[in-house]
Short mmCIF file of all heavy atoms in Angstrom, two decimals:
data_model
loop_
_atom_site.label_atom_id
_atom_site.label_comp_id
_atom_site.label_asym_id
_atom_site.label_seq_id
_atom_site.Cartn_x
_atom_site.Cartn_y
_atom_site.Cartn_z
N LEU J 1 0.86 -1.19 0.00
CA LEU J 1 0.00 0.00 0.00
C LEU J 1 0.89 1.23 0.00
O LEU J 1 1.72 1.42 0.90
CB LEU J 1 -0.90 0.01 1.23
CG LEU J 1 -1.82 1.22 1.38
CD1 LEU J 1 -2.89 1.22 0.29
CD2 LEU J 1 -2.47 1.23 2.77
N SER J 2 0.74 2.08 -1.02
CA SER J 2 1.48 3.34 -1.07
C SER J 2 0.75 4.37 -0.23
O SER J 2 -0.46 4.57 -0.40
CB SER J 2 1.60 3.83 -2.52
OG SER J 2 2.38 2.93 -3.29
N VAL J 3 1.49 5.01 0.67
CA VAL J 3 0.91 5.97 1.60
C VAL J 3 1.73 7.25 1.57
O VAL J 3 2.95 7.22 1.77
CB VAL J 3 0.86 5.42 3.04
CG1 VAL J 3 0.27 6.45 3.99
CG2 VAL J 3 0.04 4.14 3.09
N ALA J 4 1.07 8.40 1.33
CA ALA J 4 1.73 9.69 1.40
C ALA J 4 1.87 10.08 2.86
O ALA J 4 0.92 9.98 3.64
CB ALA J 4 0.93 10.73 0.64
N MET J 5 3.09 10.50 3.26
CA MET J 5 3.37 10.85 4.64
C MET J 5 4.18 12.13 4.69
O MET J 5 5.03 12.38 3.83
CB MET J 5 4.15 9.73 5.34
CG MET J 5 3.43 8.39 5.39
SD MET J 5 4.47 7.08 6.12
CE MET J 5 4.79 7.77 7.75
N ALA J 6 3.93 12.93 5.71
CA ALA J 6 4.74 14.14 5.91
C ALA J 6 6.16 13.76 6.32
O ALA J 6 7.12 14.45 5.99
CB ALA J 6 4.11 15.03 6.97
N ASP J 7 6.32 12.65 7.05
CA ASP J 7 7.64 12.19 7.49
C ASP J 7 7.77 10.71 7.15
O ASP J 7 7.43 9.83 7.95
CB ASP J 7 7.81 12.40 8.99
CG ASP J 7 9.19 11.96 9.49
OD1 ASP J 7 10.04 11.62 8.64
OD2 ASP J 7 9.39 11.95 10.72
N PRO J 8 8.27 10.37 5.96
CA PRO J 8 8.36 8.96 5.55
C PRO J 8 9.39 8.17 6.35
O PRO J 8 9.48 6.95 6.20
CB PRO J 8 8.77 9.05 4.08
CG PRO J 8 9.44 10.37 3.95
CD PRO J 8 8.75 11.29 4.91
N SER J 9 10.16 8.82 7.22
CA SER J 9 11.13 8.10 8.04
C SER J 9 10.58 7.73 9.41
O SER J 9 11.30 7.16 10.23
CB SER J 9 12.39 8.96 8.22
OG SER J 9 12.09 10.14 8.96
N ASP J 10 9.30 8.04 9.68
CA ASP J 10 8.67 7.75 10.98
C ASP J 10 8.35 6.26 11.06
O ASP J 10 7.27 5.81 10.65
CB ASP J 10 7.41 8.59 11.15
CG ASP J 10 6.83 8.50 12.56
OD1 ASP J 10 7.15 7.52 13.26
OD2 ASP J 10 6.05 9.39 12.94
N ALA J 11 9.30 5.47 11.57
CA ALA J 11 9.14 4.01 11.60
C ALA J 11 7.98 3.57 12.47
O ALA J 11 7.28 2.60 12.16
CB ALA J 11 10.44 3.36 12.07
N ALA J 12 7.75 4.28 13.59
CA ALA J 12 6.66 3.90 14.48
C ALA J 12 5.31 4.06 13.80
O ALA J 12 4.42 3.21 13.91
CB ALA J 12 6.71 4.72 15.77
N LEU J 13 5.14 5.16 13.07
CA LEU J 13 3.89 5.39 12.35
C LEU J 13 3.71 4.38 11.23
O LEU J 13 2.60 3.87 11.00
CB LEU J 13 3.86 6.82 11.81
CG LEU J 13 2.60 7.21 11.03
CD1 LEU J 13 1.35 6.98 11.85
CD2 LEU J 13 2.70 8.67 10.58
N ILE J 14 4.80 4.06 10.53
CA ILE J 14 4.72 3.05 9.48
C ILE J 14 4.31 1.71 10.07
O ILE J 14 3.50 0.96 9.50
CB ILE J 14 6.08 2.94 8.75
CG1 ILE J 14 6.33 4.22 7.93
CG2 ILE J 14 6.12 1.71 7.84
CD1 ILE J 14 7.72 4.28 7.31
N ASP J 15 4.86 1.40 11.25
CA ASP J 15 4.50 0.16 11.92
C ASP J 15 3.01 0.13 12.26
O ASP J 15 2.32 -0.88 12.07
CB ASP J 15 5.34 0.03 13.19
CG ASP J 15 5.35 -1.38 13.75
OD1 ASP J 15 5.09 -2.32 12.98
OD2 ASP J 15 5.61 -1.54 14.95
N ASP J 16 2.49 1.25 12.77
CA ASP J 16 1.06 1.32 13.08
C ASP J 16 0.21 1.19 11.82
O ASP J 16 -0.85 0.54 11.84
CB ASP J 16 0.74 2.64 13.78
CG ASP J 16 1.20 2.65 15.23
OD1 ASP J 16 1.48 1.56 15.77
OD2 ASP J 16 1.29 3.75 15.82
N LEU J 17 0.66 1.80 10.73
CA LEU J 17 -0.08 1.70 9.48
C LEU J 17 -0.12 0.26 8.97
O LEU J 17 -1.13 -0.21 8.47
CB LEU J 17 0.54 2.61 8.42
CG LEU J 17 0.29 4.11 8.59
CD1 LEU J 17 1.19 4.91 7.65
CD2 LEU J 17 -1.18 4.43 8.32
N GLN J 18 1.01 -0.44 9.11
CA GLN J 18 1.03 -1.84 8.67
C GLN J 18 0.07 -2.69 9.50
O GLN J 18 -0.67 -3.51 8.96
CB GLN J 18 2.44 -2.41 8.77
CG GLN J 18 2.49 -3.90 8.40
CD GLN J 18 3.90 -4.42 8.33
OE1 GLN J 18 4.69 -3.95 7.51
NE2 GLN J 18 4.23 -5.37 9.18
N PHE J 19 0.07 -2.45 10.81
CA PHE J 19 -0.83 -3.20 11.67
C PHE J 19 -2.29 -2.88 11.36
O PHE J 19 -3.15 -3.75 11.34
CB PHE J 19 -0.53 -2.88 13.14
CG PHE J 19 -1.29 -3.72 14.11
CD1 PHE J 19 -0.81 -4.96 14.50
CD2 PHE J 19 -2.49 -3.28 14.64
CE1 PHE J 19 -1.51 -5.75 15.40
CE2 PHE J 19 -3.20 -4.05 15.54
CZ PHE J 19 -2.71 -5.29 15.91
N LEU J 20 -2.56 -1.60 11.11
CA LEU J 20 -3.93 -1.17 10.82
C LEU J 20 -4.43 -1.73 9.49
O LEU J 20 -5.56 -2.22 9.39
CB LEU J 20 -3.98 0.36 10.80
CG LEU J 20 -5.26 1.03 10.27
CD1 LEU J 20 -6.44 0.67 11.18
CD2 LEU J 20 -5.10 2.53 10.19
N THR J 21 -3.61 -1.66 8.45
CA THR J 21 -4.07 -2.02 7.12
C THR J 21 -3.77 -3.46 6.73
O THR J 21 -4.38 -3.99 5.79
CB THR J 21 -3.40 -1.11 6.08
OG1 THR J 21 -1.97 -1.34 6.09
CG2 THR J 21 -3.68 0.36 6.37
N GLN J 22 -2.80 -4.09 7.44
CA GLN J 22 -2.34 -5.44 7.10
C GLN J 22 -1.70 -5.50 5.71
O GLN J 22 -1.77 -6.51 5.03
CB GLN J 22 -3.49 -6.44 7.21
CG GLN J 22 -4.03 -6.61 8.62
CD GLN J 22 -2.99 -7.20 9.57
OE1 GLN J 22 -2.37 -8.22 9.27
NE2 GLN J 22 -2.79 -6.55 10.70
N PHE J 23 -1.10 -4.39 5.28
CA PHE J 23 -0.33 -4.34 4.04
C PHE J 23 1.09 -3.89 4.37
O PHE J 23 1.34 -3.22 5.37
CB PHE J 23 -0.93 -3.34 3.05
CG PHE J 23 -2.20 -3.81 2.39
CD1 PHE J 23 -3.44 -3.47 2.91
CD2 PHE J 23 -2.15 -4.57 1.23
CE1 PHE J 23 -4.60 -3.89 2.30
CE2 PHE J 23 -3.31 -4.99 0.61
CZ PHE J 23 -4.54 -4.65 1.15
N GLU J 24 2.03 -4.23 3.48
CA GLU J 24 3.34 -3.60 3.54
C GLU J 24 3.18 -2.16 3.09
O GLU J 24 2.38 -1.85 2.21
CB GLU J 24 4.34 -4.34 2.65
CG GLU J 24 4.65 -5.75 3.15
CD GLU J 24 5.69 -6.44 2.29
OE1 GLU J 24 6.08 -5.86 1.26
OE2 GLU J 24 6.11 -7.56 2.66
N ILE J 25 3.95 -1.26 3.69
CA ILE J 25 3.78 0.16 3.47
C ILE J 25 4.91 0.73 2.62
O ILE J 25 6.09 0.56 2.93
CB ILE J 25 3.71 0.92 4.81
CG1 ILE J 25 2.55 0.39 5.67
CG2 ILE J 25 3.55 2.42 4.57
CD1 ILE J 25 1.19 0.50 5.02
N ASP J 26 4.54 1.39 1.52
CA ASP J 26 5.48 2.14 0.70
C ASP J 26 5.27 3.61 1.04
O ASP J 26 4.28 4.23 0.62
CB ASP J 26 5.20 1.88 -0.78
CG ASP J 26 6.06 2.75 -1.69
OD1 ASP J 26 7.17 3.11 -1.27
OD2 ASP J 26 5.60 3.09 -2.80
N ALA J 27 6.16 4.18 1.85
CA ALA J 27 6.00 5.54 2.34
C ALA J 27 6.49 6.55 1.31
O ALA J 27 7.63 6.49 0.85
CB ALA J 27 6.76 5.73 3.65
N VAL J 28 5.63 7.50 0.94
CA VAL J 28 5.94 8.52 -0.06
C VAL J 28 5.98 9.87 0.64
O VAL J 28 5.00 10.27 1.26
CB VAL J 28 4.88 8.54 -1.18
CG1 VAL J 28 5.21 9.62 -2.21
CG2 VAL J 28 4.79 7.16 -1.84
N GLY J 29 7.10 10.58 0.56
CA GLY J 29 7.22 11.88 1.21
C GLY J 29 6.48 12.97 0.47
O GLY J 29 6.64 13.13 -0.74
N VAL J 30 5.65 13.72 1.20
CA VAL J 30 4.88 14.84 0.64
C VAL J 30 4.93 16.00 1.63
O VAL J 30 4.87 15.77 2.85
CB VAL J 30 3.41 14.43 0.36
CG1 VAL J 30 2.61 15.63 -0.17
CG2 VAL J 30 3.35 13.28 -0.63
N GLY J 31 5.02 17.22 1.13
CA GLY J 31 5.03 18.39 2.00
C GLY J 31 3.79 18.45 2.89
O GLY J 31 2.69 18.10 2.45
N GLU J 32 3.99 18.92 4.14
CA GLU J 32 2.90 18.90 5.12
C GLU J 32 1.69 19.72 4.67
O GLU J 32 0.56 19.28 4.78
CB GLU J 32 3.41 19.41 6.47
CG GLU J 32 2.34 19.41 7.56
CD GLU J 32 2.90 19.83 8.91
OE1 GLU J 32 4.11 19.65 9.11
OE2 GLU J 32 2.13 20.33 9.73
N HIS J 33 1.94 20.92 4.17
CA HIS J 33 0.82 21.77 3.75
C HIS J 33 0.03 21.13 2.61
O HIS J 33 -1.21 21.05 2.64
CB HIS J 33 1.34 23.14 3.33
CG HIS J 33 0.27 24.07 2.84
ND1 HIS J 33 -0.67 24.63 3.68
CD2 HIS J 33 -0.02 24.51 1.58
CE1 HIS J 33 -1.50 25.39 2.97
NE2 HIS J 33 -1.11 25.34 1.70
N THR J 34 0.75 20.64 1.60
CA THR J 34 0.10 19.99 0.47
C THR J 34 -0.66 18.75 0.92
O THR J 34 -1.80 18.51 0.50
CB THR J 34 1.14 19.61 -0.59
OG1 THR J 34 1.80 20.79 -1.05
CG2 THR J 34 0.48 18.90 -1.78
N LEU J 35 -0.03 17.98 1.80
CA LEU J 35 -0.64 16.73 2.24
C LEU J 35 -1.93 17.01 3.03
O LEU J 35 -2.94 16.32 2.85
CB LEU J 35 0.34 15.95 3.10
CG LEU J 35 -0.13 14.58 3.62
CD1 LEU J 35 -0.59 13.69 2.47
CD2 LEU J 35 0.98 13.91 4.41
N ARG J 36 -1.90 18.01 3.88
CA ARG J 36 -3.10 18.32 4.67
C ARG J 36 -4.27 18.69 3.74
O ARG J 36 -5.41 18.27 3.95
CB ARG J 36 -2.79 19.46 5.63
CG ARG J 36 -3.82 19.61 6.75
CD ARG J 36 -3.44 20.75 7.68
NE ARG J 36 -2.18 20.53 8.35
CZ ARG J 36 -2.02 19.79 9.44
NH1 ARG J 36 -3.08 19.20 9.97
NH2 ARG J 36 -0.84 19.65 10.00
N GLN J 37 -3.98 19.47 2.71
CA GLN J 37 -5.03 19.83 1.75
C GLN J 37 -5.54 18.60 1.01
O GLN J 37 -6.75 18.45 0.80
CB GLN J 37 -4.50 20.87 0.76
CG GLN J 37 -4.23 22.24 1.36
CD GLN J 37 -3.75 23.22 0.32
OE1 GLN J 37 -3.03 22.86 -0.61
NE2 GLN J 37 -4.16 24.48 0.45
N ARG J 38 -4.62 17.73 0.61
CA ARG J 38 -5.02 16.53 -0.15
C ARG J 38 -5.86 15.59 0.72
O ARG J 38 -6.81 14.97 0.23
CB ARG J 38 -3.77 15.80 -0.65
CG ARG J 38 -2.99 16.55 -1.71
CD ARG J 38 -3.75 16.63 -3.02
NE ARG J 38 -4.01 15.29 -3.55
CZ ARG J 38 -4.82 15.04 -4.57
NH1 ARG J 38 -5.48 16.04 -5.14
NH2 ARG J 38 -4.99 13.81 -5.00
N ILE J 39 -5.53 15.47 2.00
CA ILE J 39 -6.32 14.61 2.89
C ILE J 39 -7.75 15.12 2.98
O ILE J 39 -8.71 14.37 2.82
CB ILE J 39 -5.66 14.55 4.28
CG1 ILE J 39 -4.35 13.76 4.23
CG2 ILE J 39 -6.62 13.92 5.30
CD1 ILE J 39 -3.53 13.83 5.51
N ASP J 40 -7.89 16.43 3.20
CA ASP J 40 -9.23 17.01 3.32
C ASP J 40 -10.03 16.81 2.05
O ASP J 40 -11.19 16.39 2.08
CB ASP J 40 -9.13 18.50 3.65
CG ASP J 40 -8.56 18.75 5.04
OD1 ASP J 40 -8.59 17.82 5.87
OD2 ASP J 40 -8.08 19.88 5.28
N ARG J 41 -9.39 17.11 0.90
CA ARG J 41 -10.12 16.99 -0.37
C ARG J 41 -10.48 15.55 -0.70
O ARG J 41 -11.57 15.26 -1.18
CB ARG J 41 -9.30 17.62 -1.50
CG ARG J 41 -9.34 19.14 -1.52
CD ARG J 41 -8.97 19.68 -2.90
NE ARG J 41 -7.59 19.36 -3.24
CZ ARG J 41 -6.57 20.19 -3.03
NH1 ARG J 41 -6.77 21.37 -2.47
NH2 ARG J 41 -5.36 19.85 -3.39
N SER J 42 -9.54 14.64 -0.45
CA SER J 42 -9.77 13.24 -0.82
C SER J 42 -10.91 12.63 -0.03
O SER J 42 -11.81 11.98 -0.59
CB SER J 42 -8.49 12.42 -0.61
OG SER J 42 -7.46 12.87 -1.46
N TYR J 43 -10.93 12.83 1.29
CA TYR J 43 -11.98 12.22 2.09
C TYR J 43 -13.32 12.92 1.87
O TYR J 43 -14.38 12.29 1.89
CB TYR J 43 -11.60 12.22 3.56
CG TYR J 43 -10.64 11.12 3.91
CD1 TYR J 43 -9.27 11.35 3.94
CD2 TYR J 43 -11.09 9.84 4.19
CE1 TYR J 43 -8.37 10.34 4.25
CE2 TYR J 43 -10.20 8.82 4.50
CZ TYR J 43 -8.84 9.07 4.53
OH TYR J 43 -7.97 8.05 4.82
N GLU J 44 -13.30 14.24 1.64
CA GLU J 44 -14.54 14.93 1.33
C GLU J 44 -15.12 14.44 0.01
O GLU J 44 -16.33 14.23 -0.13
CB GLU J 44 -14.30 16.44 1.26
CG GLU J 44 -14.11 17.09 2.61
CD GLU J 44 -13.76 18.56 2.48
OE1 GLU J 44 -13.80 19.07 1.33
OE2 GLU J 44 -13.45 19.19 3.50
#
């Protein structure tokens, strides 16, 4: 599962994502401001 993250080096968060989704995580670095906007738009 490819996941956009503000900090792709956050191993603890990646671990939680793997446990939550039951997929291997491909962490993609994205700027925080851009990512916050994309999260809001995508879920809306």
